[in-house]
Amino acid sequence: MQHLIQRFRRPDACSVALEGVWAYWNRTLGAVVVDTPDPSVNVLANGWLLYQTLSGRVWGRTGFYQSGGAYGFRDQLQDVMALVHAEPALTREHLLRAAARQFREGDAQHWWHPPSGRGVRTRFSDDFLWLPYATCRYVACIADTGVLDEPIPFLDGRPVKPEEEAYYDLPNRSDESATLYQHCVRAIERGLKFGEHGLPLIGCGDWNDGMNRVGFLGRGESVWLAFFLYDVLTQFAKLARARHDPAFADRCLAQARQLQQNIEQHGWDGQWYRRAYFDDGEPLGSQGNPECQIDSLPQSWSVMSGAGDPSRSGRRWTPWTGASSAATPG
């Protein structure tokens, strides 16, 4: 407090502070400049979106319909990926923060409130996989391999019961610690749980929290998660090989190849990729469904992950006719 009093007693203190704020945001928001023919896109891309990500999502931890001030395991990992060029130190800091909210079993708190760490442990199937995904992105962009050696403790808590979707508690800090690299390995190993179609179990939801009843009984599978897991596996295999861990790199690639085959065999609905399978084996995101006949996520990630068959991923679907056709360039 005394420091602030002394600092702002000077007549020019306010103007100096304001100039510092301007300088910070000009430097941070100017790290990446996008130039498109659309002025509105330029306004969004060259300042507004990154400003909202940092000030609202990372510092304020708030947003539409989500103003609780908690850290979301997947949410803020996605947010800091947008800062990898503008504020890489914040990205690094949050990778370690998120890893510290991982349980020894490999799953993580879905969200938690600082400083106590009280939060929710769930059976969501994608949360913990965002840790290796964001770590790969950070290391690829910044070449900071030292972050992989940072030691971080795990959490201790009781597992979620089969009849539970989640529970709220204050977990203990485990006596066991591991490097960030090992945290990522444990997350991937946790994600290698598959159903009868060889697709990842959806648990009480994947990236879409609203699909919490698709696999509530523990047998439902997610096609989108299959694409995402494929992406995680192929990216992390490169990181593992560079770290001289060829055994795990080979394991990742073998799992990715098998997953790709299972996607094409059981994820394709004839005109587009399905979204999921319910506990009873019924498909979701299928032509036979009265609702959610098609979902954007598996279609988009079939391209983004590189796992989809190009001849299938490139098909264009016309919603008002229900027909699909091959997309043409341009």
Side-chain angles (χ1 to χ4, degrees):
M1 179 64 70
Q2 288 297 320
H3 169 72
L4 290 175
I5 293 173
Q6 293 299 323
R7 177 185 172 190
F8 285 99
R9 286 178 67 179
R10 296 165 44 194
D12 64 341
C14 290
S15 60
V16 170
L18 182 58
E19 289 174 1
V21 171
W22 288 338
Y24 172 79
W25 285 114
N26 285 335
R27 181 179 68 255
T28 302
L29 303 183
V32 176
V33 177
V34 176
D35 185 20
T36 76
D38 190 333
S40 61
V41 172
N42 295 341
V43 169
L44 284 172
N46 295 323
W48 185 246
L49 293 178
L50 195 61
Y51 173 78
Q52 288 296 318
T53 296
L54 182 52
S55 65
R57 298 293 300 153
V58 177
W59 289 340
R61 296 187 295 282
T62 187
F64 290 122
Y65 308 109
Q66 195 177 47
S67 300
Y71 283 108
F73 195 87
R74 75 160 81 100
D75 296 347
Q76 271 70 42
L77 280 170
Q78 294 168 13
D79 294 330
V80 298
M81 287 173 64
L83 303 174
V84 73
H85 298 297
E87 279 283 17
L90 294 181
T91 305
R92 188 186 204 274
E93 177 185 349
H94 189 70
L95 289 174
L96 304 181
R97 180 186 294 117
R101 310 316 300 176
Q102 183 186 37
F103 293 94
R104 290 188 300 167
E105 294 82 358
D107 60 322
Q109 285 182 304
H110 186 57
W111 55 259
W112 72 95
H113 273 113
S116 70
R118 285 187 179 274
V120 176
R121 189 175 190 179
T122 72
R123 291 192 289 118
F124 274 96
S125 54
D126 72 304
D127 284 341
F128 46 87
L129 289 173
W130 289 97
L131 180 63
Y133 188 78
T135 298
C136 288
R137 171 69 174 167
Y138 172 77
V139 173
C141 292
I142 306 302
D144 175 15
T145 56
V147 73
L148 301 172
D149 295 313
E150 293 282 356
I152 311 142
F154 291 98
L155 295 179
D156 262 334
R158 72 165 177 84
V160 182
K161 298 176 182 178
E163 67 273 14
E164 289 181 314
E165 187 172 310
Y167 73 88
Y168 177 77
D169 197 9
L170 176 60
N172 298 315
R173 175 174 289 188
S174 173
D175 292 333
E176 181 183 0
S177 295
T179 64
L180 176 61
Y181 177 81
Q182 292 165 331
H183 275 262
C184 292
V185 168
R186 201 166 297 196
I188 290 172
E189 290 176 333
R190 175 77 177 195
L192 300 178
K193 295 184 176 182
F194 307 102
E196 65 174 318
H197 298 97
L199 301 172
L201 294 175
I202 193 171
C204 71
D206 54 15
W207 203 5
N208 186 336
D209 293 9
M211 293 187 173
N212 59 317
R213 305 299 294 183
V214 173
F216 183 76
L217 299 179
R219 297 188 296 273
E221 300 165 275
S222 170
V223 177
W224 167 78
L225 185 58
F227 284 118
F228 180 54
L229 178 57
Y230 175 93
D231 203 356
V232 172
L233 290 168
T234 53
Q235 289 194 47
F236 199 81
K238 298 175 185 177
L239 190 150
R241 204 169 300 282
R243 195 175 168 79
H244 308 293
D245 188 1
F248 194 71
D250 291 343
R251 183 183 175 193
C252 286
L253 292 179
Q255 290 281 358
R257 286 191 293 269
Q258 183 61 58
L259 195 55
Q260 188 174 32
Q261 294 176 17
N262 295 341
I263 290 171
E264 296 305 325
Q265 183 175 357
H266 299 292
W268 182 248
D269 198 52
Q271 293 186 339
W272 53 78
Y273 288 104
R274 299 178 179 121
R275 179 61 175 85
Y277 282 94
F278 287 95
D279 284 312
D280 62 3
E282 287 296 312
L284 177 65
S286 170
Q287 299 173 59
N289 294 138
E291 297 181 359
C292 190
Q293 287 189 348
I294 184 172
D295 190 296
S296 174
L297 285 182
Q299 320 315 318
S300 302
W301 279 78
S302 73
V303 177
M304 293 168 60
S305 66
D309 183 324
S311 65
R312 292 177 170 180
S313 297
R315 295 176 72 88
R316 179 184 295 123
W317 183 74
T318 308
W320 49 86
T321 64
S324 67
S325 60
T328 55

